[in-house]
Amino acid sequence: MANSISIVMATYNGERYISQQLESIKEQTIQADEVIICDDGSSDDTVKMVERFIRDNELITWKIIKNKKNKGWQKNFMDAISYATGEIVFLADQDDIWHTKKIEVMSNIMYENRKINLLMCEYKKFSDEEIEKNGDITLEYYKRDSKPWNNGILYPGCTYCFRKKFFDDIKGAWTNKMPHDALIYQAAWLSDSGYICKAVLHFFRRHGDSVTTLSKPDFSKDNRIERLERRNHVYEFLMMKTSGYDWIKDAENYRKWLCLRIQLLKNRKLINILRLLKYRKYYSSLKTWGMDCVVALR
């Protein structure tokens, strides 16, 4: 559908906060052409609450899909995005709240600048306090710098909107348990097509049950290797099997850097530490390089 908008939400045991999120989506100044909600086997009343909300508000373009078995949030999100038919896709978490003009502002930017494959908005974290979701906003946006040290993911997927065609082109790079937003962000960084809207259009709820709150730094060598190999796979796939995109000049050297990091962790050879110094610009900080060395030598 040309110039059409899809919203994709993945849910799982979200009864506590989901009504507020659904309401903030319904209150948007520009309505999405479809809202797709994929539930991953909730054991609480999430599904009933969503079905009741859709029915009571006569939301004929909204639908909920109930997975027959639990897929895990990464696979659930990937499948949910695949169901979308809109040109532009917005991602929604079950426990956040949107500014009423989130769709209006971000979709207009996407229509205005066809070079943008991924647009992120600024966000604020909150707990349960009141928020101003109708406040004044700026319409400014800027390009996310594709320099090597800017490859880190600084914006959560719930702040994303992106072109469905872009997702369809890159989804083959996804591997099991890889975060959906990591794939989209890395592809946008590699193709120099990620932008940031300066407006605070998203309110990011932090609570004890959230994945982000519970996540802790992981210094396991095996997990570190797995993450690096997964990222290397993404870049290899995109550069070899995806056409029509101008990958950044440093893409191949970036892959060499990833491979050297993997070799260091697997082989613990001093020569690899020295070789990595040549690629130090790809580290976001010397601390990260130091952690590679510490983990490798443990």
Side-chain angles (χ1 to χ4, degrees):
M1 294 189 293
N3 285 6
S4 58
I5 296 168
S6 297
I7 296 175
V8 167
M9 181 190 297
T11 61
Y12 179 73
N13 289 349
E15 65 177 9
R16 185 176 180 185
Y17 300 113
I18 195 167
S19 293
Q20 290 176 281
Q21 172 66 306
L22 296 175
E23 191 67 33
S24 75
I25 292 174
K26 184 176 74 70
E27 291 176 349
Q28 291 293 300
T29 54
I30 289 182
Q31 292 294 305
D33 295 278
E34 64 178 3
V35 177
I36 298 171
I37 301 167
C38 285
D39 186 81
D40 202 24
S42 292
S43 58
D44 64 3
D45 285 336
T46 298
V47 172
K48 290 181 180 178
M49 293 174 71
V50 173
E51 290 175 336
R52 186 184 310 120
F53 188 89
I54 292 174
R55 183 179 63 251
D56 291 350
N57 291 282
E58 299 180 345
L59 301 169
I60 61 174
T61 61
W62 293 38
K63 66 179 177 180
I64 182 166
I65 299 170
K66 293 170 278 189
N67 296 340
K68 293 181 179 179
K69 62 179 182 178
N70 184 275
K71 300 178 178 181
W73 62 270
Q74 301 97 332
K75 174 66 171 169
N76 192 30
F77 251 119
M78 289 295 294
D79 287 349
I81 297 169
S82 295
Y83 298 144
T85 61
E87 177 191 357
I88 295 174
V89 178
F90 284 78
L91 298 181
D93 282 354
Q94 64 186 8
D95 45 10
D96 298 337
I97 296 176
W98 288 13
H99 190 289
T100 54
K101 290 188 176 181
K102 181 175 180 177
I103 292 179
E104 177 182 344
V105 171
M106 295 184 74
S107 62
N108 283 338
I109 291 173
M110 293 287 281
Y111 295 143
E112 175 186 290
N113 188 342
R114 295 285 170 174
K115 293 181 179 180
I116 301 175
N117 282 317
L118 167 64
L119 180 65
M120 299 157 275
C121 70
E122 295 294 344
Y123 65 97
K124 286 184 178 178
K125 297 179 182 180
F126 77 102
S127 297
D128 289 316
E129 69 273 13
E130 289 293 320
I131 60 174
E132 179 50 73
K133 59 181 179 180
N134 301 300
D136 293 336
I137 55 174
T138 176
L139 302 179
E140 299 178 36
Y141 67 96
Y142 62 96
K143 190 176 185 180
R144 172 74 170 144
D145 198 329
S146 62
K147 291 180 180 178
W149 53 86
N150 276 335
N151 59 76
I153 302 172
L154 301 180
Y155 291 78
C158 52
T159 67
Y160 291 11
C161 73
F162 51 89
R163 300 193 190 281
K164 180 60 172 9
K165 182 184 183 303
F166 181 65
F167 174 81
D168 289 340
D169 288 343
I170 67 172
K171 65 182 181 182
W174 185 79
T175 59
N176 188 37
K177 295 186 178 180
M178 180 182 189
H180 59 290
D181 50 354
L183 170 63
I184 297 167
Y185 183 91
Q186 289 169 17
W189 175 78
L190 188 64
S191 59
D192 199 18
S193 59
Y195 287 67
I196 299 170
C197 172
K198 289 185 177 182
V200 176
L201 299 171
H202 191 90
F203 301 95
F204 190 47
R205 191 190 301 271
R206 298 295 82 215
H207 54 86
D209 296 329
S210 68
V211 173
T212 304
T213 302
L214 295 174
S215 297
K216 296 179 180 179
D218 185 356
F219 301 119
S220 161
K221 182 184 295 187
D222 290 341
N223 290 347
R224 205 175 184 89
I225 291 172
E226 181 183 353
R227 287 195 299 270
L228 290 172
E229 288 182 335
R230 190 163 55 212
R231 182 178 294 190
N232 187 49
H233 164 78
V234 169
Y235 288 106
E236 182 179 31
F237 179 96
L238 294 175
M239 293 172 64
M240 295 180 64
K241 297 186 179 180
T242 306
S243 60
Y245 295 97
D246 295 324
W247 306 120
I248 59 174
K249 294 179 181 179
D250 273 328
E252 189 54 45
N253 282 332
Y254 185 84
R255 281 201 59 235
K256 291 179 181 177
W257 170 69
L258 289 174
C259 291
L260 277 175
R261 292 180 69 187
I262 295 168
Q263 289 175 26
L264 170 63
L265 292 167
K266 287 184 174 181
N267 304 327
R268 303 175 60 184
K269 292 183 178 179
L270 178 62
I271 187 64
N272 288 329
I273 295 177
L274 299 176
R275 285 172 177 168
L276 276 169
L277 287 174
K278 177 183 176 181
Y279 297 92
R280 60 185 179 274
K281 71 176 182 177
Y282 297 98
Y283 282 104
S284 57
S285 68
L286 282 177
K287 181 180 178 181
T288 309
W289 174 78
M291 283 306 306
D292 272 356
C293 299
V294 169
V295 173
L297 299 174
R298 287 176 65 180

